[in-house]
Amino acid sequence: MTRALDAAIAKLAGLPPEEQDRIAHWLLDELEDEGLWARQFATSQAALSKLAAEARADRAAGRATEFDPDKL
């Protein structure tokens, strides 16, 4: 375990049990969500590559314009 995580857990240990549980559930949900995103990206590489190729072709053919966030 890293020092930073060890320090965070030490601080959490001083909180009331209900607060510890709330934070633990939040952290576990975040970690599960991160795993879900990683799995989705890992299984979508072919589709993302196809979209990237289409975008490059559109740009090369002059069918794309630069994005200007100030014009939103």
Side-chain angles (χ1 to χ4, degrees):
M1 185 178 326
T2 68
R3 278 189 236 158
L5 184 57
D6 195 38
I9 291 172
K11 283 191 173 192
L12 290 172
L15 296 175
E18 300 81 22
E19 189 70 6
Q20 289 180 28
D21 283 346
R22 186 186 67 76
I23 293 169
H25 290 294
W26 168 81
L27 181 56
L28 291 170
D29 287 345
E30 286 295 313
L31 292 171
E32 185 171 331
D33 189 52
E34 185 64 30
L36 175 62
W37 276 107
R39 288 188 300 279
Q40 287 178 332
F41 279 121
T43 60
S44 65
Q45 291 305 302
L48 292 173
S49 293
K50 181 181 175 190
L51 290 171
E54 289 174 10
R56 284 191 296 275
D58 284 345
R59 183 177 173 119
R63 294 186 301 263
T65 58
E66 293 293 323
F67 174 72
D68 185 353
D70 293 330
K71 292 184 179 178
L72 292 177

